[in-house]
Amino acid sequence: MRITVTVDGTTYTDEVEPRLLLVQYLRERLGKVGTVVGCDTSNCGACTVHLDGHSVKSCSVLAVQADGCEVTTIEGLARDGQLHPVQQAFHDNHALQCGFCTPGMIMQAIDLLAEDSDPDEQAVREGIEGNLCRCTGYQNIVRAVRDAAHEMRPGAGPEAERISGAQAGVHRS
Amino acid sequence: MIPAEFDYVAPATVDDAVRALADAGEEAKVIAGGQSLIPVLRMRLAAPTKLIDLGKIAELRGVREDGDALVIGAMTSHYDVMRDPLIGEHAKLIAVTTSTVADPQVRHRGTFGGSLAHADPAGDLAAPALALDVEMVAHGMDGKRTIPASEFFVDYFTTALRPGELLTEVRVPKYTGWHAHYEKFNRVAQAWSIVGVAAAVQVEGHTIKQARVGLTNMSSVPVRAGGVERALIGQEATPEAIKTAAEHALEGTMPVADGNADIAYREHLAKVLTSRAVTAACR
Ligand SMILES: Cc1cc2nc3c(=O)[nH]c(=O)nc-3n(C[C@H](O)[C@H](O)[C@H](O)COP(=O)(O)OP(=O)(O)OC[C@H]3O[C@@H](n4cnc5c(N)ncnc54)[C@H](O)[C@@H]3O)c2cc1C
Ligand code: FES
Ligand code: FES
């Protein structure tokens, strides 16, 4: 099947098998290996990306279901060499150890902050409940998300992520 | 893991989807949000020959008023159900229950209709659907029919939908001004209910005028706690009265033992959670 998907501001048109998962499409076809796969059961959230502005587990979406949609991955966050405020807050607060959960955590944290620009600790914990971390014990992750919230007031919506027209191009692979 | 091969269509209307399902035959499957189906495909516990994706059918999304009922499109996502002002006003039990389902990512994709059609005994939305006496609207090649919730849930993962039928809408009578709570017991984040209790009450002063209570995972299908409801009606909303009523919670249940809980523990939970759910709803 032919699909057209905009990923991190670039539009791709590709022929894919219906059974191809969105995460495989991102990693194996587009080389966006920043998005990782941590489980086989849709539980870990490491594969979280934004689909039309909302967080989803990209291992639980078929690439064909993303036809006509806009996808943002962890690779589409930095601007002109500047980390996204949530990425910076993870760095500043030591919110990662092995880093495997980090791409998904950051994408989900951005989704959470778009819904609630100043979440308390409980709201952060609930907002990232679909993301598992085996290393940190979550403490510093929660701290980083709240820190980012303060940096970013009044909140980063899908708008904050939209890539400017100048950078967007069309690419076929 | 990677799913086995299948064909895929994404029709734009209900009529086209019904026809596609009929043409594709027994081995085809409908995909809604895919949040139960895709994990099953990845584990290769199912290998349908064709998927009919309902995701492009605009008429299946959204909530509207129809006289004294709300009509929830089967493809309305959990996320949209939670935030919908009509559901918040007239069917609060559905909103509060939905907010306990899974995690934010799954709620963005998973749908109200998909959850009901999936009929997992641990799924949270069947108990409130049963307690609120909703009606399921099904479309097939022979046209449309309406199935009361009390007849919809047949067994584990089995509903009254016939082969070739789609669940298209859910009609919910309005419960304007009712208070509601869903008490869900699980051990870790984003886990399924070991037991869940859905309660909606209409309170005047301190008196419980009407009550609706449904239980999750206390049988192969959701259970309506009629005994609890009858014991609550007309009572003052005191801790003693609620606790006494909750003693009826096991009527009509047939819990099973699994890795999370044995039968005696489930029975204990059902009573305790009923008491908590009704208490929270009355507040
Ligand atoms: C990590 C995780 C945690 C979860 N936790 C919970 C939880 O705590 N509580 C809970 O209730 N659920 C939970 N779920 C399940 C989630 O709520 C799903 O959204 C839901 O079970 C299925 O909805 P769906 O739209 O994704 O359906 P799909 O997965 O697309 O479909 C499920 C089944 O229903 C059939 N179907 C779907 N729609 C229709 C229709 N309109 N007509 C006829 N047949 C149809 C499909 O053919 C399939 O057999 C969880 C899921 C995941 C991945
Ligand atoms: S890889 Fe674990 S949820 Fe997607
Ligand atoms: S930092 Fe290792 S899994 Fe989270």
Side-chain angles (χ1 to χ4, degrees), chain B residues 62-73 84-87 89-90 170-174 176:
Chain B
V63 182
R64 62 187 161 84
E65 267 179 303
D66 184 9
D68 50 12
L70 294 185
V71 181
I72 306 178
D84 187 83
L86 287 172
I87 295 178
E89 186 177 354
H90 302 296
V170 180
R171 293 182 63 88
V172 187
K174 284 185 186 169
T176 318

Side-chain angles (χ1 to χ4, degrees), chain B:
Chain B
M1 271 166 63
I2 297 170
E5 270 180 60
F6 51 78
D7 288 333
Y8 171 91
V9 282
T13 65
V14 169
D15 287 346
D16 288 349
V18 166
R19 205 163 309 116
L21 193 55
D23 290 346
E26 298 250 315
E27 302 300 311
K29 246 187 177 318
V30 166
I31 180 165
Q35 299 304 288
S36 292
L37 186 57
I38 292 175
V40 163
L41 298 178
R42 288 179 70 196
M43 304 294 253
R44 300 219 177 180
L45 298 172
T49 50
K50 188 166 195 167
L51 292 189
I52 320 287
D53 188 352
L54 306 184
K56 296 275 192 290
I57 308 180
E59 59 190 299
L60 290 182
R61 269 178 212 277
V63 182
R64 62 187 161 84
E65 267 179 303
D66 184 9
D68 50 12
L70 294 185
V71 181
I72 306 178
M75 288 298 293
T76 310
S77 69
H78 298 317
Y79 175 74
D80 286 340
V81 164
M82 274 165 64
R83 299 183 321 147
D84 187 83
L86 287 172
I87 295 178
E89 186 177 354
H90 302 296
K92 193 174 162 223
L93 183 58
I94 291 176
V96 297
T97 306
T98 302
S99 69
T100 74
V101 168
D103 54 55
Q105 293 97 315
V106 171
R107 292 196 294 266
H108 283 144
R109 296 289 298 169
T111 66
F112 188 57
S115 291
L116 297 174
H118 191 52
D120 187 321
D124 294 300
L125 295 169
L130 182 69
L132 298 183
D133 271 328
V134 311
E135 292 179 319
M136 316 290 176
V137 180
H139 273 81
M141 286 300 272
D142 302 332
K144 163 176 155 175
R145 69 185 178 113
T146 300
I147 310 164
S150 57
E151 293 167 23
F152 185 76
F153 302 103
V154 176
D155 203 347
Y156 293 100
F157 301 100
T158 309
T159 68
L161 287 174
R162 300 183 186 129
E165 265 184 342
L166 296 176
L167 173 62
T168 50
E169 291 176 348
V170 180
R171 293 182 63 88
V172 187
K174 284 185 186 169
Y175 293 84
T176 318
W178 287 50
H179 302 289
H181 185 77
Y182 187 68
E183 187 73 23
K184 170 171 177 167
F185 191 83
N186 55 11
R187 290 181 307 168
V188 292
Q190 53 156 322
W192 295 73
S193 285
I194 296 173
V195 175
V197 179
V201 290
Q202 194 187 37
V203 183
E204 268 177 38
H206 291 289
T207 309
I208 299 172
K209 287 288 173 189
Q210 299 193 68
R212 299 294 183 116
V213 181
L215 309 180
T216 298
N217 220 3
M218 283 301 289
S219 178
S220 59
V221 291
V223 177
R224 177 86 179 264
V228 177
E229 295 176 1
R230 282 187 294 277
L232 286 171
I233 292 170
Q235 298 292 324
E236 295 280 301
T238 62
E240 300 73 41
I242 291 171
K243 193 153 183 278
T244 307
E247 288 298 315
H248 295 273
L250 301 184
E251 291 170 23
T253 63
M254 270 219 295
V256 295
D258 60 21
N260 284 317
D262 62 17
I263 291 172
Y265 185 47
R266 277 216 158 78
E267 292 183 337
H268 170 74
L269 282 176
K271 291 187 198 172
V272 172
L273 301 180
T274 297
S275 191
R276 284 187 199 162
V278 173
T279 304
C282 286
R283 233 176 248 140

